[in-house]
Amino acid sequence: MPANRTNLLDLDRQGLRGFFSGLAEKPFRSDQVTKWIHQSGVCDFAHMTNLGKALRSRLDEVAAVELPQIVNEQVSIDGTYKWLLGLSDGNCIETVFIPEADRGTLCVSSQVGCVLNCTFCATARQGYSRSLSTGEIIGQLWLASQALGSGPGTARVISNVVLMGMGEPLLNFDNVVPAMNLMLDDMAYGLSRRRVTLSTAGVIPGIDRLAEICAVSLAVSLHAPNDELRDQLVPLNRKYPIAPLLAACRRYVRHQPRSRVTFEYTMLDGINDNESQAHQLLGLLSDVPAKVNLIPFNPFPGSGYQRSSEQAIDRFREILHRGGIVTMTRKTRGEDIDAACGQLAGKVQDRTRRSGQLLGGLSL
Ligand code: SAH
């Protein structure tokens, strides 16, 4: 795409209004174009028949709808899909679709690689290149919807979206929010706030901003019941420890009546899975509206960790459950195609940018 053109995939409906006002066009053009792109899957202005010829050729000069390219599609024996998507700068990211009886969940990436360096996550090993643009984030939903054949008049295949792929979404706040606005927009994908979940390793200022701007469902990657252990597993904890993180979660749910924060807890054999740790976790969560998702660790070469035994996971769940916390063990999906949690690893072209400057004040 020539550099002087605007990629309309980067704009939510509000952003498109600004774009059309710059062309001296009426605000309703934004509604029309949002529907064409996101509901009808039309990216060629020539086919946007309610726009008028002059506007269509003007758009051809100043704008484009540029999507990532599907480089590879894999389908697991359990029906999970994984797409490798190529970006215009040569980087690659991964997107996963998980079909279940009562829902279909798309797991979307927010960055190429990740800076956070959680010790048990494969994405961390590949380094970090950059944040995704809004178009590259919403483009994953656009492409998956098309690939799965969901469009106007067909049943909704993708009922839920989780920002749980590669990257830390709250470190790409300004591009993630317009993408989520489109997920929620009735003129685009029309998902309810309950069905769009952002997962964070605990970037506290981002959690507070999100509450104000776009209060979708919140998931927090906790993985440890005390700071000593969490400092090791999730180095971000040294900057944002557990107590202030849980305080931020309590503030967040005030913006969302009747909702709870989901705490993700990857079960690592002999590290964070014993009974006293379950009791400690129960204590921590006693005054937070919480549910817990236990994720059996998904191994990858050289990780140095083992998955907890089924008995250990069951015992851990039972303790939380008896303590009154809704606790689920997440089924491992798409393992045969490396599509499970923490196994996404795209392809980072420039790994050199995992630097202090990018982390800004994080200094991990
Ligand atoms: N950075 C965000 C988004 C990634 S979500 C966050 O940390 O929440 C991916 C989830 O899978 C996180 O809860 C992550 O901690 C978990 N995870 C990472 N590696 C894993 C692995 N090898 N096995 C199981 N879960 C893992």
Side-chain angles (χ1 to χ4, degrees), residues 114 116 120-122 163-165 167-169 199-201 221 223 264 266 295-300 341-343:
C114 190
L116 293 183
F120 53 88
C121 179
L163 280 119
M164 289 188 190
E168 169 49 53
S199 179
T200 178
S221 292
H223 308 304
E264 295 155 284
T266 297
I295 314 174
F297 171 66
N298 294 306
F300 55 90
C341 300
Q343 294 186 318

Side-chain angles (χ1 to χ4, degrees), residues 54 57 225 288:
S57 52
V288 188

